[in-house]
Amino acid sequence: MIYPVVAYGHPVLKKVAKEIDKDYPDLQKVIADMFETMYEAVGVGLAAPQVNLSIRLIVIDADPYKTDYPEAEGFKKVLINPVMLSEEGDEWEFNEACLSVPGIAEFVMRKPKITVKYMDENFVEHTEVFDGMIARIIQHEHDHLEGILFVERVSNLKKLLLKNKLGDIAKGETNASYKMIFAPVKRKRKK
Ligand code: NI
């Protein structure tokens, strides 16, 4: 099943997502559906809040980046309850995008090496070091679990320049090729 992708402006994207345990209902189906949704939308990572589930679950398939980033080849992973233990090295910039913010790409600075503790889809615990593009994708998706979007990690000037475009997305004005859901319309209270 393909989920609609939650668009910028929806409150679920601002929430800190909750940890889950192995009894989370239909977990394997949720994971499979998140992969299906991500592939349909041509993304390389998807966090559960982006499908309106406020839980700490990420799916990644970085393979499309393999030409420029060898570490991405065949990299497919599920991370449950990931904990960022460390982020190291000199920050590097990359033009990031996000399925929840269609039509916008901006340079974001991130550290190149991370150590993450997480559970896989079978609830086996791992502590692993990731580099380069893999680190960046995990950092971007982990941000989603903290209620942070990449457009909040750009300069104040860039934020100002993006304001109208982001407002349009929140109002449902996008040309995304996949189905999206938007924030409930705010109505002004009558005096
Ligand atoms: Ni994203």
Side-chain angles (χ1 to χ4, degrees):
M1 184 200 83
I2 292 168
Y3 289 105
V5 175
V6 175
Y8 175 90
H10 193 291
V12 74
L13 295 177
K14 297 300 298 168
K15 273 202 217 167
V16 176
K18 292 211 157 55
E19 289 196 349
I20 57 169
D21 60 31
K22 60 176 170 28
D23 299 322
Y24 187 82
D26 295 322
L27 180 59
Q28 299 311 320
K29 165 105 173 92
V30 170
I31 291 168
D33 289 347
M34 281 179 62
F35 272 115
E36 197 183 346
T37 302
M38 183 182 78
Y39 290 134
E40 168 74 14
V42 198
V44 295
L46 189 69
Q50 296 182 272
V51 297
N52 208 7
L53 297 171
S54 192
I55 57 173
R56 301 184 84 80
L57 166 61
I58 291 166
V59 301
I60 292 171
D61 189 338
D63 195 64
Y65 279 130
K66 67 184 167 194
T67 314
D68 293 326
Y69 302 92
E71 67 274 21
E73 184 163 6
F75 186 95
K76 183 177 175 180
K77 215 176 256 303
V78 176
L79 293 94
I80 296 170
N81 303 337
V83 178
M84 204 64 85
L85 297 177
S86 70
E87 296 179 83
E88 299 162 70
D90 295 333
E91 291 190 339
W92 65 295
E93 63 172 14
F94 183 77
N95 205 24
E96 290 191 19
C98 178
L99 296 180
S100 293
V101 194
I104 292 180
E106 288 294 338
F107 283 99
V108 177
M109 301 289 287
R110 298 192 191 268
K111 290 182 175 168
K113 184 179 174 185
I114 61 171
T115 306
V116 187
K117 186 172 85 173
Y118 67 96
M119 307 286 187
D120 64 22
E121 61 274 36
N122 301 311
F123 269 84
V124 175
E125 191 181 297
H126 303 263
T127 298
E128 270 183 87
V129 175
F130 299 104
D131 292 294
M133 184 51 67
I134 302 304
R136 178 170 291 271
I137 296 170
I138 293 174
Q139 286 161 324
H140 175 116
E141 301 309 330
H142 181 265
D143 272 355
H144 277 297
L145 306 184
E146 297 295 309
I148 299 166
L149 296 172
F150 81 101
V151 287
E152 293 164 62
R153 292 199 177 275
V154 302
S155 68
N156 285 335
L157 175 63
K158 268 279 151 57
K159 276 181 199 153
L160 202 62
L161 295 172
L162 287 175
K163 213 178 162 196
N164 288 339
K165 264 186 170 176
L166 290 172
D168 288 346
I169 295 171
K171 282 185 283 181
E173 291 163 24
T174 86
N175 52 8
S177 61
Y178 43 91
K179 212 176 154 201
M180 300 196 82
I181 48 172
F182 300 92
V185 178
K186 280 181 203 149
R187 289 199 170 77
K188 278 187 186 152
R189 208 176 280 171
K190 280 180 188 160
K191 281 185 181 161

